[in-house]
Amino acid sequence: MATPKAKSETGAQLLARLHCKPSLVCLERVLLPAVTSQKSVFELRGEEGVGKTQLLLHLVANAILPKSSHGVDIAGLCVGVVYIDLDYHFSMIRLTSILETRIQTALSARDSSQDASQSVEDIVKQCLSRLYVVRCSSSSQFLITLHSLETLLGNNPDICLLMIDSISAFYWVDRSTGGSSTQGRTNSNKLMVDALRKLLVTYNLVVFCAKAELFEQRTYTDNPSASGYDFMGHHWQRLVTHRWTLGKIRPIKEHVSVVQRNCYSVTVHSGNDAQKTRSFVITDEGVEFRK
Amino acid sequence: MPRLRIGLCPTLTQIVLEKLSRIGVHDVVDILTTDAVEVSQKAKVSYKDVLSIQRVLLAQYSAFPMNAADFYVDVMSSVAILSTGSSNIDQLLDGGLYTAEVTEVVGPVASGKTQLCLSIALSVAMETRQTVVYFDTGSSFDSGRLQDMMEARQKPLTQTVEMIGSLIRCCKVYSVFELLSGLETLKASLDDQTDKLCSTSLKLVIVDCVAAVISPVLGGFQTDGHAYMMHISRVLKTLAVEYSVAVLITNNVVYGDGGATRPAMGKTWSHVPNTRVELLKPLDSVGELTPRPQSHTDSDHQRHAILLKSDRLQTNVSTTFVISDYGVQ
Amino acid sequence: MQRELGSFPLTPGVRQKLHSAGFLLVEDIIQVTPEELGREIGITSEEAHDILTLITGATKPTSASGAVPTDPTMHLERVPGHMTLSEMLQEPQQFIVTFSERLDGMLGGGVPLTKITEFCGTPGIGKTQICIQLAVDVQIPECFGGVSGETVYVDTEGTFIVDRVKDIATAAVDHCHQMAAVEAGHNPQDTTETFTLVSILRGIHYFRCRDYVELIAIIHMLPKFLKEHTRVRLVVVDSIASPFRHHFDDYSLRTRVLGHMAQDLSRIANEHLLAVVLTNQMTTKLAAGEGQRSHLVPALGESWGHVAGVRVVLNWEGQQRCALLLKSPSRQQVIVPFQITTGGIRDVCSVSATQRHVTSPTPASVSSKDTSQGPTKRRRLDT
């Protein structure tokens, strides 16, 4: 199935495929490696309430915000995003409030005399028009949807990001219907991974996936590759190129502000044992990294 | 995976079906994940037919990507915030319970979870005149207590007890399957335009307590329990998001290492709620069975609420509330 | 209907067969005949018929002919156990009195029907006495404000003593007869015939069980038993803790077994309109950290604590037995004293003794409210 569908490709799809995707280096300067190649798959793992969805929304906001507006630098990427919301975690209210704050801050820095509220709402709407949200109710629907996304991606060459929140959503249900043998599950996982790989290879996508921690913490905190175990199966494990582990940092001082009290950490594991940890807080503008 | 059968699409005739089945293409996923050229050559079905089958099935079985600009308009027109009746808790939750979200209240025995649920149910019924459906897995739904609260709140008798009472519906469920059936039936009711429930719109679904039916099926060496748990989580979220309902559930706590409490039902469930609030009794009365000399002070009825998880708000913020004749204040 | 078949109580084998044959949703299976289904997934038609009955039964009401009705309208009303609040309010809450006015006041009128009430306490505090008292009191005829019921008494510790039942029953019968004599409108003749020591003893269905397997078995057969004995208004399990406290190494299994039992008891209480009374032992909870000290808590763990709607802890305060309302859906936490006499559970007569809790209704207010409703006017009995 990996053979390209040369005959069925339309002109628009061809263009989308060959279209030179903008660089994603600016998407997140702190976390992303200096050279983020397209076709990368980032996995964000962590327990509940450590900011997985928040980080995804932050990246979405960075992507869909315009580069500039009214002559003001907003520092967005102005690219399209598909958000596959498998866990019903996508919060429109939160995303729009991030967008509004970001735009407002940028605009007010320049000029306060103009009636900003109207233009802010317009820009937010423009941003949102670059985002597509898909919700799936089962793993088979998810698989079929991945195949059907070809049309959308073909018609919208500016889409270069795919968010999946979260990839582990159907794990237990599939496990109960897939039988006691791991074979069935591995197969359906393989189909999903193949479909995803085909999408990101054909359309030059970068994929970010949240993965909920479904089991008690094992020993992989130091090095995820050391344990070599991934409940999503080895096909998935091979697809992922970058792993980020998210966690909560206990506040050292009790009397800090509410924002500072909730500090999270993200550890970036790169291929060769090197890893770096950054801490961040969640603000109205999304995610803010600390020095 | 959905099976291929006659009637799924016009091109899918008995003959085509047999040809496909001969090369091992039985279900929707088989045909969609196999290349059209390959299928056509192997099964000797015309390439055009295979393509048209694929196209119809893709459209039918895939989820539809929604442009966020349209989605935004939908959300803004449908989102509602339901006051909990306690100004402190409303403040903690930025206004109250949001529709399209699953809010979990977690706490130890007698921390006020059921009181909060009853109080919110009554507030919603009295103030917004919207329907509330309360799934009671134990015997926590106390009609007498609701009546007392109603009488305490109603200074001018503008709304009859009868009227408010008809807005609050209670379903007693004692097993995970009964809860699933109840929730699915509720969903079917909302789909059906002729159903009585549609005419008075539903704004709040409460499940008190979800751990009581799920915990017994978890654990051991079988994983079915987790699957049932996820079915429940899915139907709750679907209700919340697709029918624009606020979902409020309660959960127990379990003691982990070193006496620290954490919500019951494990890691998998912990990812489910959008918002989680922990209720606590003030420290001095926790677990104390020896009667205190200065018994019956306000601290007996006072509770702490801590926001543990939220999509929208800063967490680890706490507030206090009081359980009184009015409900929760 | 879009419900997934995986959400039905099917065996894992059947569920996998259905799934791999492409039957995922209710709508996939609803039009299929048992014969077709059996052929498709390789089971007998009888098995297939059972599966289809289970699924259609849960989703659609079947008409008399057994055919699936063409109109698939659903209503929440069809969910078993569905009621609106106003419907519920039309059925007043009934109580079983304890013969201690202040204990009743604390509980809002007595031990409530349709709910689970748990009495916890150290050995010798009077848990079994309360159970026996309730087993007798549930039989008080309606003309005296009782519920005129019967009792199922499950004894796991072997502490049920018939002589005590006789004492308590005799006192109750005497009391009611005295009342009948005092009050106009009651023919003493009626009550002597219906409410006697013999009738009370006949109205207690006693089960002795020695381990948790027997206890589970008894609770499983209770619904059938209750169908045959429709007058039962009280199920006592004295105690729920002892079969589970020893020889139970797998705590997660214990939690599951207890969880199932809790749901079964809850269902029995609601569907048969009866009170479930459990007794529980106390266990020491070690200090979790600084500032906390070890103290006694009810046994069986945190999750069990959610089971009972009403939870009462009995303990000694000096020479005085006291009851603390630890948890209740409708009442505030209070402490009241009580005593155990030959005749059973009674109020403490000397008002000065432990008159310290403001919230507990004063004896005066209760007796004025409860007027001449019978059994609560037991002060005459106290000597």
Side-chain angles (χ1 to χ4, degrees):
Chain A
M1 63 149 286
T3 53
K5 274 199 217 170
K7 282 178 196 165
S8 61
E9 195 172 50
T10 64
Q13 281 172 325
L14 180 72
L15 276 178
R17 194 156 63 80
L18 301 178
H19 184 76
C20 185
K21 301 269 171 160
S23 163
L24 292 175
V25 173
C26 301
L27 185 63
E28 179 44 70
R29 288 168 195 277
V30 178
L31 289 181
L32 292 182
V35 190
T36 301
S37 64
Q38 262 121 29
K39 301 163 196 169
S40 299
V41 178
F42 292 82
E43 181 189 272
L44 284 65
R45 56 156 40 143
E47 297 184 11
E48 45 89 38
V50 294
K52 294 188 297 293
T53 302
Q54 293 298 329
L55 200 52
L56 286 184
L57 289 178
H58 170 73
L59 294 170
V60 169
N62 282 348
I64 62 177
L65 277 169
K67 292 189 173 91
S68 64
S69 175
H70 299 80
V72 191
D73 186 25
I74 298 185
L77 279 179
C78 200
V79 295
V81 179
V82 175
Y83 195 109
I84 307 182
D85 184 19
L86 302 180
D87 260 346
Y88 289 96
H89 275 166
F90 176 78
S91 168
M92 185 52 106
I93 297 175
R94 170 71 182 156
L95 179 65
T96 45
S97 89
I98 295 173
L99 293 172
E100 275 168 16
T101 323
R102 293 275 292 270
I103 297 165
Q104 222 138 32
T105 322
L107 289 186
S108 64
R110 190 189 68 124
D111 193 357
S112 54
S113 64
Q114 281 186 357
D115 177 30
S117 65
Q118 189 56 45
S119 57
V120 168
E121 202 182 329
D122 287 344
I123 302 171
V124 167
K125 278 190 180 150
Q126 279 167 27
C127 292
L128 290 176
S129 68
R130 289 182 205 108
L131 171 67
Y132 293 87
V133 179
V134 194
R135 280 178 172 145
C136 299
S137 60
S138 69
S139 62
S140 54
Q141 195 186 27
F142 175 46
L143 177 61
I144 296 167
T145 305
L146 283 178
H147 282 274
S148 77
L149 280 181
E150 291 216 27
T151 324
L152 180 75
L153 294 168
N155 295 334
N156 296 276
D158 67 323
I159 294 178
C160 25
L161 272 179
L162 183 63
M163 305 288 185
I164 302 174
D165 187 10
S166 68
I167 196 73
S168 50
F170 305 113
Y171 176 77
W172 288 112
V173 172
D174 284 356
R175 217 175 131 164
S176 85
T177 49
S180 49
S181 71
T182 48
Q183 191 58 36
R185 259 184 296 143
T186 317
N187 280 344
S188 66
N189 258 336
K190 183 174 182 303
L191 288 175
M192 185 267 286
V193 169
D194 284 345
L196 198 56
R197 183 176 285 129
K198 184 174 160 200
L199 280 185
L200 66 100
V201 168
T202 317
Y203 297 98
N204 282 323
L205 300 176
V206 173
V207 180
F208 287 90
C209 297
K211 189 172 92 176
E213 212 64 82
L214 298 185
F215 297 94
E216 293 297 329
Q217 203 80 31
R218 289 209 171 79
T219 47
Y220 51 53
T221 40
D222 301 331
N223 189 350
S225 52
S227 71
Y229 174 74
D230 191 323
F231 66 85
M232 289 298 294
H234 59 272
H235 290 290
W236 172 255
Q237 205 173 3
R238 251 178 261 151
L239 181 75
V240 174
T241 55
H242 299 76
R243 288 189 173 76
W244 294 356
T245 308
L246 280 78
K248 235 178 208 169
I249 300 175
R250 294 240 161 266
I252 307 155
K253 288 171 287 186
E254 277 300 315
H255 48 82
V256 285
S257 76
V258 172
V259 175
Q260 300 296 324
R261 210 182 298 158
N262 294 294
C263 190
Y264 306 90
S265 71
V266 52
T267 307
V268 177
H269 308 277
S270 34
N272 46 6
D273 287 351
Q275 61 179 53
K276 59 173 180 179
T277 302
R278 297 303 298 256
S279 61
F280 64 90
V281 291
I282 292 169
T283 66
D284 292 344
E285 296 194 4
V287 164
E288 189 184 295
F289 289 91
R290 302 205 302 183
K291 295 288 177 295
Chain B
M1 312 291 154
R3 207 176 171 78
L4 288 178
R5 56 171 191 268
I6 297 165
L8 275 184
C9 78
T11 343
L12 203 58
T13 59
Q14 183 67 42
I15 301 152
V16 174
L17 204 61
E18 276 169 18
K19 283 180 176 173
L20 289 175
S21 161
R22 224 171 289 148
I23 63 156
V25 174
H26 298 292
D27 59 33
V28 173
V29 170
D30 289 344
I31 195 164
L32 289 179
T33 54
T34 318
D35 185 60
V37 182
E38 203 184 315
V39 174
S40 133
Q41 281 169 353
K42 277 197 188 159
K44 307 202 164 46
V45 180
S46 87
Y47 177 67
K48 217 181 94 194
D49 286 353
V50 176
L51 264 193
S52 99
I53 293 171
Q54 283 189 339
R55 207 168 297 143
V56 171
L57 293 182
L58 259 189
Q60 199 173 333
Y61 284 98
S62 70
F64 185 69
M66 197 173 2
N67 189 282
D70 305 332
F71 187 31
Y72 173 71
V73 176
D74 280 4
V75 168
M76 287 307 145
S77 63
S78 67
V79 75
I81 304 170
L82 308 173
S83 167
T84 60
S86 151
S87 56
N88 280 354
I89 291 184
D90 281 354
Q91 209 177 357
L92 186 75
L93 298 172
D94 193 22
L97 299 179
Y98 280 59
T99 58
E101 285 189 6
V102 176
T103 307
E104 179 176 278
V105 175
V106 56
V109 175
S111 55
K113 301 187 295 294
T114 296
Q115 294 301 321
L116 189 62
C117 288
L118 292 173
S119 184
I120 294 174
L122 194 59
S123 296
V124 170
M126 286 176 85
E127 277 157 37
T128 66
R129 308 264 182 118
Q130 307 274 24
T131 308
V132 176
V133 176
Y134 197 115
F135 287 94
D136 180 12
T137 64
S139 40
S140 63
F141 188 86
D142 192 294
S143 54
R145 168 73 174 144
L146 275 170
Q147 190 171 28
D148 293 346
M149 271 158 51
M150 226 186 296
E151 280 160 9
R153 287 182 190 199
Q154 226 162 34
K155 275 144 261 152
L157 267 159
T158 46
Q159 298 160 315
T160 60
V161 172
E162 179 74 16
M163 205 284 274
I164 301 300
S166 67
L167 291 174
I168 301 178
R169 295 167 174 277
C170 175
C171 291
K172 304 256 185 207
V173 288
Y174 306 103
S175 72
V176 71
F177 302 112
E178 286 172 21
L179 178 58
L180 268 171
S181 290
L183 290 168
E184 291 282 356
T185 312
L186 176 62
K187 213 166 77 166
S189 284
L190 295 170
D191 280 333
D192 183 0
Q193 293 303 315
T194 59
D195 196 284
K196 216 167 69 185
L197 203 60
C198 268
S199 54
T200 60
S201 101
L202 177 76
K203 273 284 163 273
L204 178 62
V205 173
I206 298 175
V207 183
D208 181 23
C209 141
V210 78
V213 291
I214 292 180
S215 291
V217 300
L218 289 183
F221 294 103
Q222 39 101 20
T223 57
D224 291 353
H226 280 88
Y228 294 131
M229 179 166 83
M230 291 328 281
H231 279 298
I232 291 206
S233 95
R234 201 140 276 281
V235 62
L236 287 175
K237 285 177 181 175
T238 314
L239 273 174
V241 171
E242 276 159 31
Y243 301 88
S244 197
V245 168
V247 175
L248 178 66
I249 56 176
T250 63
N251 192 359
N252 303 341
V253 294
V254 288
Y255 288 99
D257 304 327
T261 59
R262 55 191 161 88
M265 296 192 288
K267 289 239 178 251
T268 309
W269 183 266
S270 69
H271 294 279
V272 170
N274 301 86
T275 306
R276 172 175 291 129
V277 178
E278 182 176 22
L279 302 187
L280 286 175
K281 281 175 124 180
L283 201 64
D284 62 328
S285 65
V286 175
E288 287 290 330
L289 297 178
T290 41
R292 276 151 295 128
Q294 78 304 347
S295 91
H296 185 66
T297 54
D298 270 353
S299 74
D300 278 2
H301 321 307
Q302 197 176 328
R303 301 285 190 275
H304 294 302
I306 305 163
L307 187 63
L308 288 186
K309 179 188 180 184
S310 167
D311 286 351
R312 298 170 279 104
L313 303 164
Q314 289 298 338
T315 51
N316 286 334
V317 182
S318 70
T319 186
T320 56
F321 64 95
V322 175
I323 299 173
S324 72
D325 297 344
Y326 291 84
V328 163
Q329 281 180 307
Chain C
M1 193 182 186
Q2 291 284 319
R3 179 170 174 186
E4 282 187 45
L5 293 179
S7 69
F8 286 96
L10 302 167
T11 62
V14 168
R15 194 168 53 228
Q16 282 150 27
K17 281 176 184 163
L18 285 171
H19 190 262
S20 54
F23 295 107
L24 305 183
L25 304 173
V26 172
E27 59 181 19
D28 296 338
I29 208 172
I30 211 83
Q31 305 292 350
V32 181
T33 66
E35 290 72 27
E36 284 170 349
L37 183 65
R39 214 169 35 243
E40 288 269 358
I41 66 170
I43 55 173
T44 66
S45 315
E46 287 76 35
E47 286 172 304
H49 180 79
D50 289 347
I51 294 170
L52 287 171
T53 317
L54 171 80
I55 289 163
T56 49
T59 53
K60 291 178 183 181
T62 39
S63 61
S65 63
V68 177
T70 46
D71 175 30
T73 17
M74 313 258 174
H75 294 289
L76 201 57
E77 273 90 355
R78 293 205 193 113
V79 175
H82 170 276
M83 267 181 137
T84 65
L85 174 61
S86 42
E87 281 162 6
M88 286 181 164
L89 289 175
Q90 280 158 19
E91 295 170 10
Q93 177 72 55
Q94 287 182 294
F95 296 97
I96 306 169
V97 293
T98 60
F99 272 26
S100 157
E101 218 166 88
R102 297 185 62 187
L103 213 50
D104 288 347
M106 178 178 88
L107 295 167
V111 171
L113 299 193
T114 74
K115 288 198 164 55
I116 299 179
T117 304
E118 186 181 68
F119 290 94
C120 317
T122 47
I125 190 70
K127 302 188 293 291
T128 301
Q129 302 295 321
I130 288 187
C131 290
I132 294 174
Q133 180 77 59
L134 290 168
V136 170
D137 292 354
V138 73
Q139 307 193 38
I140 293 169
E142 276 153 9
C143 62
F144 292 114
V147 293
S148 188
E150 290 174 7
T151 303
V152 167
Y153 199 106
V154 182
D155 183 8
T156 66
E157 291 181 330
T159 50
F160 184 82
I161 300 157
V162 181
D163 286 341
R164 272 308 281 155
V165 185
K166 277 187 187 162
D167 290 345
I168 292 172
T170 311
V173 170
D174 285 352
H175 171 62
C176 285
H177 288 186
Q178 278 185 28
M179 273 183 45
V182 170
E183 277 172 39
H186 289 308
N187 185 355
Q189 219 55 37
D190 288 348
T191 52
T192 20
E193 276 162 28
T194 55
F195 192 60
T196 60
L197 177 60
V198 177
S199 82
I200 289 175
L201 292 177
R202 207 172 274 149
I204 299 177
H205 307 277
Y206 176 80
F207 295 83
R208 173 79 174 95
C209 85
R210 280 159 195 88
D211 58 27
Y212 79 95
V213 179
E214 283 185 17
L215 181 59
I216 293 171
I218 289 171
I219 289 175
H220 269 277
M221 54 133 283
L222 265 183
K224 187 165 171 280
F225 183 87
L226 294 172
K227 259 191 202 118
E228 289 157 10
H229 300 81
T230 50
R231 287 186 59 209
V232 172
R233 286 289 162 272
L234 173 66
V235 171
V236 174
V237 181
D238 179 28
S239 78
I240 194 86
S242 60
F244 290 97
R245 286 201 70 187
H246 305 290
H247 316 298
F248 225 108
D249 298 327
D250 184 349
Y251 273 83
S252 119
L253 176 65
R254 188 181 90 165
T255 310
R256 288 204 301 285
V257 168
L258 282 170
H260 273 299
M261 198 179 283
Q263 294 306 115
D264 286 343
L265 289 171
S266 209
R267 182 200 300 277
I268 289 168
N270 271 296
E271 288 179 359
H272 298 276
L273 302 175
L274 50 82
V276 172
V277 169
L278 312 173
T279 64
N280 194 355
Q281 302 167 353
M282 302 297 278
T283 187
T284 309
K285 185 172 157 53
L286 296 170
E290 71 274 22
Q292 284 185 310
R293 54 204 161 82
S294 301
H295 51 262
L296 285 176
V297 294
L300 298 181
E302 169 72 22
S303 52
W304 179 259
H306 298 273
V307 169
V310 183
R311 199 171 212 193
V312 179
V313 173
L314 310 176
N315 62 341
W316 290 100
E317 197 178 316
Q319 294 296 303
Q320 185 63 60
R321 286 182 164 93
C322 280
L324 161 69
L325 185 64
L326 201 63
K327 178 192 174 190
S328 157
S330 53
R331 319 291 292 187
Q332 302 280 16
Q333 193 167 322
V334 290
I335 304 171
V336 300
F338 68 97
Q339 61 169 327
I340 296 173
T341 66
T342 323
I345 307 296
R346 297 291 182 270
D347 267 348
V348 177
C349 293
S350 54
V351 185
S352 62
T354 30
Q355 178 76 36
R356 62 227 293 280
H357 300 296
V358 196
T359 43
S360 62
T362 58
S365 74
V366 168
S367 37
S368 67
K369 197 167 95 190
D370 286 359
T371 60
S372 55
Q373 271 295 308
T376 46
K377 270 187 147 190
R378 103 252 58 83
R379 192 151 298 138
R380 266 170 267 161
L381 271 177
D382 290 337
T383 47

